[in-house]
Amino acid sequence: MGRKYFGTDGVRGKVGESPITPEFVMHLGYAAGQVLVADRGSLPPNQHPTVLIGKDTRISGYMLEAALEAGFTAAGVNVLMTGPMPTPAVAYLTRALRLQAGVVISASHNPFEDNGIKFFSASGQKLPDSVEEAIEARLDFPMVTVEARQLGRARRIEDAAARYIEFCKSTYPNHLDLRGMRIVVDCAHGATYHVAPHVLHELGAEVIAIGNEPNGFNINDECGATYTKTLADAVRTHRADVGIALDGDGDRLMMADAQGRIYDGDQLVYVIARHRIQTGYMKGGVVGTLMTNLGTEHALGRAQVPFERAKVGDRYVMERLLANGWTLGGETSGHILCLDKHTTGDGIVSALQVLRALRETGESLDTITADLETYPQVMINVPIVKGFKLDASPAVSASVAEAESVLNGTGRVVLRASGTEPLIRVMVEGRDADQVRRTAETIAEVVKQAAMGG
């Protein structure tokens, strides 16, 4: 059965438009609660299942939090609420507190007008498709509140941030610290604003925090991992040794060196892999995605590290890591999975793995990636109408075939539909930057015309 509401990262959309309305979100909480009640696991007969709800700093989070709380408690599920908390923190706390599920109210890197709901299982991993489909099936039935005696309870937990800060610090070796390092951290006015600076400070760094004054509307606004110019400028202004940019919910990471040069997810995964090879604790290979730069694949190959591509989306990277028994993977966009440290992608934890590599090798980001040649890559987002089928257009297929013939094995063409927005992403990469851009623009125009019915 297909999924009507769940995309690659939960349910997402513009606030006030279906499905991100308080009515639907309450029903979603109720449906998810019913699934949890039906699958009580080892809970005693009279004990309610309990879920954890966290959120980022969007103004709409208050409304959606209340709706979820109502839905879950109406289904007989207890609710713990953390307030603003990074997505990976909710995953960690769900597992640490032995809860039945975790829920995050966030649209990740999107602007404040959007919001979304994503779920974690008791193990701290994103729900498999089968469970999301079970929740969707329950949405077809009306809400029927349990009898008053069976209603769930709701309360806030006050020490969530402190617990998560300690967890992040525990992923950094005890024999190392960050003393003597000046670090700029851009929190994107998002959920890490009250966490990331403390983690770095308590490990000994001199911390310059930016993007740490959320007001409900400025999340991801010209800051954070999706707008790295702000980080680069701040690193140069403050003469920092390194910069860290997180996104609105804290699961993406970009970094900058002392010159303000930006390093994306591909490059940072390579830094972690290279260090693990040198220190002998690399387990297996690396999983990337269809968008991972070809240069990264070639560099890992030279280091004799197996590499595999998954579909775009950290959940698919996770699937391949678990299937292979590997621990390291990630996306160009900055989702990095270190499964020996956490059950999900975590921007702060991933940054600490990179900082460990720099500390133990004495190298900079520039020198540690010197043997990694990043091929020119252009991605163009083409807006489409709902229902447009990419694989049903002969003109698009012909354009891609012609481009691949011109590239002649020296590059790649990838077209894919966004899992969160009505877009087709056209990506072309190769050794010749001008050729890559021309090719991407040509294909994007063909896709645009096809989407418009031309």
Side-chain angles (χ1 to χ4, degrees):
M1 184 177 69
R3 295 178 298 170
K4 180 179 178 182
Y5 299 107
F6 284 89
T8 56
D9 199 19
V11 180
R12 190 179 297 186
K14 188 172 183 179
V15 175
E17 297 179 3
S18 180
I20 308 301
T21 64
E23 297 88 355
F24 177 86
V25 170
M26 181 170 65
H27 200 170
L28 179 64
Y30 176 80
Q34 282 196 311
V35 171
L36 292 175
V37 170
D39 183 22
R40 299 174 63 89
S42 59
L43 285 177
N46 296 323
Q47 185 172 330
H48 291 273
T50 303
V51 301
L52 184 75
I53 299 178
K55 61 182 180 180
D56 64 24
T57 55
R58 295 163 210 268
I59 188 70
S60 56
Y62 296 97
M63 173 182 73
L64 300 180
E65 179 186 57
L68 273 177
E69 176 193 341
F72 275 118
T73 53
V77 176
N78 289 341
V79 173
L80 299 178
M81 293 175 289
T82 68
M85 196 60 52
T87 289
V90 172
Y92 163 70
L93 291 166
T94 298
R95 181 167 49 95
L97 296 172
R98 309 301 194 269
L99 305 179
Q100 279 63 62
V103 189
V104 181
I105 304 167
S106 175
S108 189
H109 59 283
N110 287 22
F112 87 92
E113 295 94 343
D114 294 345
N115 218 327
I117 311 293
K118 47 190 169 184
F119 294 85
F120 288 95
S121 68
S123 62
Q125 297 177 353
K126 290 183 178 178
L127 294 183
D129 290 355
S130 59
V131 178
E132 291 183 345
E133 289 168 2
I135 293 172
E136 288 209 356
R138 301 272 181 158
L139 287 168
D140 291 335
F141 298 93
M143 286 182 58
V144 179
T145 304
V146 298
E147 61 178 87
R149 192 179 298 276
Q150 297 300 318
L151 288 171
R153 299 174 182 269
R155 66 181 177 89
R156 294 195 173 271
I157 54 176
E158 304 298 333
D159 62 346
R163 285 173 177 258
Y164 178 57
I165 288 169
E166 289 305 312
F167 165 72
C168 290
K169 288 163 54 183
S170 75
T171 67
Y172 193 76
N174 288 331
H175 68 277
L176 291 178
D177 58 48
L178 297 175
R179 290 190 179 92
M181 289 193 79
R182 177 178 292 181
I183 300 175
V184 173
V185 57
D186 184 348
C187 302
H189 298 303
T192 63
Y193 78 97
H194 61 322
V195 174
H198 292 292
V199 171
L200 298 168
H201 174 73
E202 292 179 22
L203 288 172
E206 178 187 350
V207 181
I208 296 102
I210 62 175
N212 63 331
E213 298 180 356
N215 61 15
F217 308 101
N218 57 1
I219 187 170
N220 301 315
D221 185 10
E222 295 190 351
C223 58
T226 54
Y227 189 88
T228 51
K229 182 180 183 299
T230 299
L231 176 71
D233 290 345
V235 166
R236 289 189 290 264
T237 297
H238 294 282
R239 297 181 180 178
D241 298 295
V242 69
I244 294 169
L246 306 164
D247 69 337
D249 72 330
D251 63 359
R252 288 193 187 199
L253 168 71
M254 297 283 182
M255 294 184 69
D257 62 18
Q259 288 71 47
R261 177 187 169 194
I262 297 298
Y263 295 76
D264 65 18
D266 293 347
Q267 295 164 303
L268 298 178
V269 165
Y270 177 75
V271 169
I272 298 170
R274 184 176 182 271
H275 175 253
R276 291 186 173 195
I277 294 164
Q278 292 174 339
T279 51
Y281 69 101
M282 182 72 188
K283 183 179 179 182
V286 170
V287 174
T289 74
L290 295 173
M291 308 303 286
T292 299
N293 194 279
L294 195 58
T296 304
E297 180 178 355
H298 289 172
L300 290 169
R302 289 192 296 271
Q304 298 184 320
V305 176
F307 177 80
E308 183 177 318
R309 292 183 187 271
K311 292 190 295 183
V312 173
D314 57 334
R315 66 188 296 143
Y316 301 115
V317 175
M318 170 74 79
E319 285 178 2
R320 296 312 307 158
L321 288 174
L322 295 176
N324 293 335
W326 299 350
T327 60
L328 179 61
E331 299 188 276
T332 311
S333 60
H335 288 124
I336 298 175
L337 292 158
C338 300
L339 296 187
D340 57 330
K341 303 298 180 184
H342 201 348
T343 58
T344 191
D346 188 317
I348 297 173
V349 170
S350 298
L352 293 178
Q353 307 318 299
V354 175
L355 293 173
R356 174 182 181 177
L358 302 184
R359 261 319 207 205
E360 291 192 333
T361 63
E363 295 188 75
S364 65
L365 283 171
D366 182 41
T367 59
I368 206 170
T369 58
D371 56 350
L372 171 60
E373 178 189 5
T374 300
Y375 295 171
Q377 188 180 84
V378 172
M379 185 165 70
I380 301 175
N381 293 324
V382 183
I384 58 170
V385 294
K386 190 173 182 179
F388 173 68
K389 300 295 183 184
L390 184 63
D391 54 4
S393 172
V396 173
S397 299
S399 179
V400 171
E402 182 180 351
E404 290 176 336
S405 175
V406 171
L407 290 170
N408 193 28
T410 64
R412 299 187 305 130
V413 178
V414 179
L415 272 65
R416 70 176 186 90
S418 168
T420 58
E421 301 171 89
L423 300 170
I424 296 294
R425 305 194 193 279
V426 177
M427 190 280 286
V428 180
E429 70 177 351
R431 292 185 178 276
D432 186 323
D434 290 337
Q435 182 187 57
V436 164
R437 177 162 293 282
R438 288 195 305 271
T439 303
E441 289 173 347
T442 298
I443 297 174
E445 183 61 30
V446 174
V447 172
K448 179 181 176 181
Q449 293 300 321
M452 293 171 60

